[in-house]
Amino acid sequence: ATLCAMVKHLDAGIGRVLNALRTAAVWPAASAAHHVGAGAAGAGAGASVGTDAATAGAETAGSNTVLIFTTDNGGAWFENMGCNYPLRGGKHNNFEGGIKGVGLIAAPGRLEAGTYSGLMHAVDWLPTIADATSSGPSAGRSFGRNSVQGSVEGGAEVPGGLDGVSMWPALRHRDTPPPRTEIVVNVDPLDGWSGAVMSVFNGTHSGFKGGLFKLMFIGEQEKGADGAGVGWMECSTMTVNAAPVEEGVVLQTTVSNGTALLFDLNADPNEQYDLSRQKTYAPVLEALLGMWEAAAESAVWPKYPPTDPNSYPDLHSPPYYGSWAPWADGVRGRKEAVAGAL
């Protein structure tokens, strides 16, 4: 019932946005809607983009409009009973249930119906949008160290040295090779250097086929409240299936020791079978460990500013009452209220 209610409200909200765009004559009528659905794995990670185009006329209303809906992370299963099953874990941890998201991109007359299943990261939206909203070719433009080389369709100027990769050519032309082949999901030096990296290994290797492999270093969030490891929460019963016993292998890295897990996400998208102790996958483990060490050594140390008591929920009136809210405006007038709340 909760899921149905959430979907109903989401559908209604999207409908209001589309109706406003139609009123402004920047979006096609309902019978001529074009949209692309995109699901990205990994806030990190892989992406799947779909399109549903009823007509193909590029000169319709909305041909200069790009509409994007996306998520930030998986459902928070313990806070609000968000269900990510059959994926493992949820918000706050680096299992697929926490980092694999869904999204939709619509561009009337410019994208055909379908699904893109290559890797995509949240940082890829900037260069993708820059391409989608630009006109004219810009051959050989590079957005960052993982950038596509060759013809990139947009002409917008974006800063150099970005980690993001434009997905627009791959979304428009499905025979285009996936622009992204690896993702740094997270590097957290404040949580025992926990985090994850993933990479595509092409071809056939000795003892295993190529695919998308993921290396995780376990932190407190992945250990769970009881320390036994995060498992799977079933939607129908909202009961948790425990994590497998004795997962992972201890690895020495250039920054620390840590318990690591290795998953083949093509064969095991729900992260049930840790491969870190299997000698067959030693080359994959070594390659991903090198990728992890490079990411950890170049990571910028996180900064957490002191808590500002002006942000306390009890100091805000509706529509923010009872929740965290913007507090930068008018904080001086609330000094007495802040002092009384402390």
Side-chain angles (χ1 to χ4, degrees), residues 10-327:
L10 176 64
D11 188 53
I14 294 175
R16 287 195 294 269
V17 172
L18 292 180
N19 286 337
L21 294 176
R22 292 185 183 114
T23 300
V26 294
W27 198 255
S31 61
H34 302 235
H35 66 272
V36 176
S48 156
V49 175
T51 331
D52 182 3
T55 63
E59 298 302 319
T60 62
S63 60
N64 291 322
T65 303
V66 177
L67 181 67
I68 297 172
F69 287 92
T70 186
T71 185
D72 52 353
N73 45 249
W77 56 349
F78 286 111
E79 292 96 325
N80 57 21
M81 308 305 282
C83 182
N84 307 299
Y85 193 81
L87 298 179
R88 184 174 181 177
K91 182 179 179 180
H92 303 308
N93 61 64
N94 292 308
F95 288 109
E96 291 297 280
I99 66 173
K100 190 168 187 176
V102 295
L104 179 146
I105 178 170
R110 303 171 68 189
L111 290 173
E112 297 180 355
T115 300
Y116 175 72
S117 56
L119 285 178
M120 183 174 181
H121 190 283
V123 299
D124 297 331
W125 279 118
L126 174 58
T128 300
I129 294 170
D131 266 353
T133 57
S134 302
S135 60
S138 181
R141 185 155 51 104
S142 176
F143 285 109
R145 56 190 174 204
N146 295 321
S147 303
V148 187
Q149 301 300 319
S151 179
V152 180
E153 297 182 15
E157 292 296 327
V158 295
L162 298 180
D163 290 321
V165 180
S166 174
M167 296 291 156
W168 189 244
L171 296 181
R172 293 204 66 186
H173 310 293
R174 303 302 160 76
D175 57 350
T176 301
R180 179 178 284 283
T181 60
E182 62 183 34
I183 284 179
V184 176
V185 177
N186 193 28
V187 176
D188 190 348
L190 303 184
D191 186 17
W193 290 97
S194 63
V197 294
M198 59 178 67
S199 182
V200 175
F201 290 77
N202 295 316
T204 301
H205 303 262
S206 178
F208 68 93
K209 294 182 180 180
L212 175 60
F213 288 87
K214 176 181 177 181
L215 174 67
M216 290 181 58
F217 277 93
I218 299 301
E220 293 302 316
Q221 296 288 355
E222 288 77 28
K223 292 178 182 178
D226 58 3
V230 169
W232 300 260
M233 178 179 281
E234 297 210 33
C235 302
S236 57
T237 60
M238 301 309 286
T239 57
V240 177
N241 296 326
V245 178
E246 296 184 355
E247 278 189 309
V249 61
V250 176
L251 293 180
Q252 172 71 52
T253 76
T254 56
V255 292
S256 68
N257 287 324
T259 301
L261 302 175
L262 178 66
F263 298 107
D264 178 352
L265 293 182
N266 288 126
D268 179 27
N270 302 328
E271 298 171 302
Q272 295 176 306
Y273 308 106
D274 171 39
L275 306 174
S276 63
R277 300 186 185 189
Q278 298 188 25
K279 293 183 179 179
T280 301
Y281 295 94
V284 176
L285 190 62
E286 182 180 1
L288 287 177
L289 181 59
M291 180 181 170
W292 165 263
E293 291 179 333
E297 290 174 352
S298 63
V300 177
W301 199 272
K303 290 184 179 180
Y304 292 100
T307 300
D308 185 342
N310 287 294
S311 64
Y312 290 174
D314 290 346
L315 302 181
H316 299 276
S317 301
Y320 299 117
Y321 183 77
S323 62
W324 300 102
W327 68 91

